[in-house]
Amino acid sequence: MPVVVVANPKGGVGKSTMATNIAGYFASLGHAVMLGDADRQQSSRLWLGLRPPAARPISGWDASDSRLAKPPKGTTHVVLDTPAGLHGKMFKEALQLADKVVVPLQPSIFDIYATRAFLDELAEHRKAGKMQVGIVGMRVDPRTIAADHLKEFVEGLGLPVLGYVRHTQNYIHLAARGLTLFDVAPGRVERDLEQWQGICRWLDK
């Protein structure tokens, strides 16, 4: 059962957007998906409450307690949305559960250096062979100098950039209806699905 943890100790970087769309991707493949929300704001849990009955099912998992429990039987794929300031016991437990860690990261110098120690620690876990780690550039145009700086910084840590997610209202409008890019006609979100190709390939490894 693959467990994908979406984490970044900095707030406002798009963790819930990433977590819900990863869950939506797995659900679109017919998997039994559980979306856990360890964030006090419970954004992912709120999103699940908005999800229409006709959409592919995604189960909720109350992961807001100080101790993370194992997902219930019958689940084939787990996505865990984590809080800003993730550290200490919950951080260690999340890493123990994780097969893959996705780090949404904006390309500003402030965001990059606010997460430096966190990324260093993840890189060490990756070197130890305990899990896979991938970075996703959030709200960024891959053709910009900022994107180049982000890629240079992350590759210096030995971590891959899985892709870049542009700043678009599509995510906002879909989230308001409990939906993801993978729940609507591909022609409506074609450009965004193209940006997810590298992320999806990595998730499927």
Side-chain angles (χ1 to χ4, degrees), residues 73-97:
K73 292 181 179 179
T75 305
T76 64
H77 289 66
V78 173
V79 182
L80 180 61
D81 187 8
T82 61
L86 180 67
H87 66 284
K89 185 177 180 180
M90 180 173 283
F91 177 54
K92 292 180 180 178
E93 290 184 355
L95 294 190
Q96 288 174 353
L97 284 174

Side-chain angles (χ1 to χ4, degrees), residues 98-115:
D99 297 296
K100 298 175 186 282
V101 178
V102 177
V103 183
L105 183 59
Q106 294 188 61
S108 79
I109 193 69
F110 304 109
D111 287 79
I112 288 173
Y113 282 95
T115 59

Side-chain angles (χ1 to χ4, degrees), residues 142-153:
R143 299 167 296 182
T144 61
I145 294 175
D148 290 339
H149 287 166
L150 176 63
K151 186 175 182 180
E152 181 181 352
F153 169 77

Side-chain angles (χ1 to χ4, degrees), residues 23-103:
Y25 170 66
F26 285 146
S28 74
L29 300 178
H31 298 306
V33 184
M34 181 160 285
L35 176 60
D37 195 340
D39 192 340
R40 291 181 181 178
Q41 293 183 359
Q42 294 287 286
S43 299
S44 291
R45 193 172 183 180
L46 170 65
W47 176 84
L48 279 174
L50 298 171
R51 193 162 176 78
R56 295 178 181 88
I58 297 174
S59 301
W61 173 32
D62 185 4
S64 59
D65 295 334
S66 59
R67 182 172 180 81
L68 297 175
K70 291 184 178 180
K73 292 181 179 179
T75 305
T76 64
H77 289 66
V78 173
V79 182
L80 180 61
D81 187 8
T82 61
L86 180 67
H87 66 284
K89 185 177 180 180
M90 180 173 283
F91 177 54
K92 292 180 180 178
E93 290 184 355
L95 294 190
Q96 288 174 353
L97 284 174
D99 297 296
K100 298 175 186 282
V101 178
V102 177
V103 183

